[in-house]
Amino acid sequence: PRLVTPQCHLCKLDKSSDDDHPRWCNDCLNLFDPVPRCRQCGLKTLTTVEQCGQCLSKPPPWHRLYCVGDYTFPTARYIQQMKYSDKFWFSRDLSKLLASRIDHPAPLITSVPLHWTRYIQRSFNQSQLLANYTAQELGVKSEVLFRRNRATLSQQGLIKSIRLNNLNGAFTFLHRDFEATDYPHIAVIDDVVTTGSTVYQLCQLLLEVGVKRIDIYCICRTPEPSG
């Protein structure tokens, strides 16, 4: 039988055996190359820094944020196809990229929960898939720790103050017998982080049960739209 040469998903050219990723050729993989960021909030900086000025004056409740890129081409395209075109298998490819950026993995990765009404509409939670695949890549544990109590407005397009109010009381920590001494270091994963309002709420719940260090993992870390 004739062997079919796999093609790069982006440029559609034949892939080489030397390519580092099963989905993309090395030339297209360069489009995902990291840029300098603040290690704490994940926003772009001129050079990589431990804390930008904003984090020094008002640090977020997490220690480190790891991401693949901003919500731009080509990363945004795969997020959109994964969430809205039922191409959930892209979560594995994106997780592989994300895992390659994480130098000190948390022993436990958890995800941002979907409300059951949205879960029924979509039939999967993209953040939970990302958590499962990233944990597999890193050789750590993945577990659901939160429940979404109520359906909220989509965070997309909302300003930061409204995003925070929109999420007040939206989440519950599930495990009453959870021992923070077993997992003092936990990562929370979401597909896109913009203002950080969602992961902020989850960090507060983890801090309340005694978790000492929280990292944020996401595919896209995108700044708030100006104006």
Side-chain angles (χ1 to χ4, degrees):
R2 192 176 128 197
L3 294 175
V4 177
T5 303
Q7 292 182 331
C8 171
H9 191 264
L10 266 179
C11 68
K12 308 303 182 186
L13 297 177
D14 289 350
K15 285 174 81 333
S16 161
S17 58
D18 296 329
D19 288 335
D20 297 321
H21 195 284
R23 182 72 63 180
W24 301 290
C25 69
N26 281 346
D27 285 338
C28 287
L29 201 58
N30 291 337
L31 296 172
F32 299 97
D33 277 354
V35 300
R37 294 181 183 274
C38 167
R39 292 183 188 272
Q40 186 162 29
C41 70
L43 291 176
K44 283 183 180 178
T45 49
L46 292 176
T47 59
T48 299
V49 293
E50 293 299 319
Q51 285 183 303
C52 63
Q54 186 173 335
C55 287
L56 283 168
S57 61
K58 191 178 179 182
W62 58 81
H63 185 266
R64 283 284 302 271
L65 186 146
Y66 297 91
C67 69
V68 174
D70 281 345
Y71 196 65
T72 54
F73 179 86
T75 323
R77 169 181 167 182
Y78 286 102
I79 291 284
Q80 291 160 2
Q81 290 184 346
M82 178 179 68
K83 289 170 71 171
Y84 307 120
S85 300
D86 294 332
K87 296 184 178 178
F88 54 85
W89 53 88
F90 285 143
S91 57
R92 183 187 289 274
D93 301 307
L94 295 171
S95 296
K96 193 174 181 69
L97 287 175
L98 176 61
S100 69
R101 310 284 165 90
I102 299 168
D103 48 7
H104 294 97
L108 176 64
I109 303 176
T110 192
S111 54
V112 173
L114 281 183
H115 191 258
W116 66 267
T117 53
R118 189 164 293 177
Y119 188 91
I120 288 174
Q121 291 171 353
R122 193 171 292 165
S123 78
F124 64 93
N125 177 355
Q126 72 281 355
S127 296
Q128 190 175 335
L129 288 177
L130 291 169
N132 293 342
Y133 286 131
T134 304
Q136 285 179 21
E137 289 286 335
L138 295 171
V140 299
K141 187 176 179 181
S142 172
E143 188 173 339
V144 175
L145 295 182
F146 307 106
R147 179 178 67 238
R148 201 168 197 129
N149 301 323
R150 56 185 174 84
T152 54
L153 295 171
S154 171
Q155 293 285 87
Q156 193 170 356
L158 300 180
I159 62 173
K160 187 170 186 176
S161 59
I162 295 177
R163 281 175 177 247
L164 282 168
N165 291 331
N166 186 38
L167 293 170
N168 279 339
F171 304 107
T172 299
F173 193 79
L174 284 174
H175 300 275
R176 291 183 180 177
D177 58 347
F178 178 84
E179 292 288 343
T181 50
D182 295 334
Y183 293 103
H185 180 196
I186 290 179
V188 179
I189 199 165
D190 202 3
D191 54 337
V192 181
V193 171
T194 304
T195 64
S197 303
T198 302
V199 292
Y200 177 90
Q201 299 285 342
L202 301 180
C203 285
Q204 297 307 315
L205 294 175
L206 289 174
L207 292 171
E208 284 172 13
V209 296
V211 175
K212 299 298 183 187
R213 169 173 169 156
I214 306 165
D215 291 337
I216 305 300
Y217 299 167
C218 60
I219 304 305
C220 296
R221 175 58 169 115
T222 301
E224 282 183 88
S226 56

